[in-house]
Amino acid sequence: MTILDVIIPVHVDTEQKYKYFDRMLNSIVCQELEYYSEVVNFCFILDDNSSEMNDRIKKLIEQRMLSRIDGFNYKVHQVLFKDAGLSRQFGVDKTESEYITLMDADDQYYDGHSIQTYLEAIEECRGCDYIATTIVKGCQDGQ
């Protein structure tokens, strides 16, 4: 059983948002964690993208997530909610892990140890109802 699910609603309708999404995926792939596939699952919720864009996004996810030798556990779901909140809730309802974290398609992890930081906090605080951290940064105005 995984310990942590990372839920990522994805609504990409422009090339700029696609670039942000690509950057976000790279920040995931750069995470340094020895046994990723045993403890972390990534859940991508594709919401209201065109079928062409969904195909591009799925290919990109597959390329990035499988590029690591140890691989990643991930699932891709397609929905038509047209609402990030409903997409997040859908992801929460699908989770099988003890803990969840939310990440938007234009966010990035600060460094290569962000997921490890989550897991260490979870281990340290077993039984906590929630853990709050600031290890994700969002993109604004192309920055």
Side-chain angles (χ1 to χ4, degrees):
M1 179 178 171
T2 56
I3 296 171
L4 178 68
D5 272 5
V6 181
I7 298 168
I8 307 164
V10 182
H11 176 77
V12 175
D13 58 357
T14 66
E15 285 302 314
Q16 187 63 39
K17 288 182 180 179
Y18 185 83
K19 289 177 186 176
Y20 289 156
F21 181 69
D22 187 23
R23 189 164 50 183
M24 184 271 305
L25 281 176
N26 284 330
S27 80
I28 290 173
V29 173
C30 290
Q31 294 297 297
E32 296 177 19
L33 183 60
E34 199 169 323
Y35 301 106
Y36 238 129
S37 61
E38 295 177 17
V39 295
V40 180
N41 183 55
F42 294 88
C43 181
F44 298 92
I45 314 297
L46 307 185
D47 187 9
D48 190 36
N49 301 307
S50 69
S51 59
E52 179 184 325
M53 188 60 84
N54 274 340
D55 290 343
R56 284 182 66 197
I57 292 168
K58 286 179 192 175
K59 285 179 186 174
L60 185 63
I61 291 170
E62 186 173 318
Q63 288 170 351
R64 295 288 190 272
M65 301 303 270
L66 298 179
S67 67
R68 293 266 304 247
I69 293 171
D70 53 350
F72 290 91
N73 285 330
Y74 71 94
K75 295 176 184 172
V76 177
H77 301 278
Q78 284 185 236
V79 296
L80 290 173
F81 298 134
K82 300 182 182 184
D83 182 291
L86 290 175
S87 295
R88 287 183 190 97
Q89 186 61 51
F90 178 86
V92 169
D93 292 344
K94 294 289 182 184
T95 190
E96 297 176 9
S97 297
E98 277 184 79
Y99 293 88
I100 63 164
T101 185
L102 303 171
M103 185 173 190
D104 288 332
D106 61 353
D107 291 341
Q108 298 178 74
Y109 286 118
Y110 278 120
D111 61 33
H113 305 285
S114 297
I115 294 285
Q116 186 65 43
T117 301
Y118 271 127
L119 295 174
E120 288 169 3
I122 289 169
E123 187 62 34
E124 194 174 303
C125 300
R126 282 286 178 189
C128 293
D129 291 332
Y130 67 92
I131 299 167
T133 65
T134 309
I135 60 174
V136 174
K137 64 180 178 181
C139 296
Q140 293 180 347
D141 300 321
Q143 302 299 317

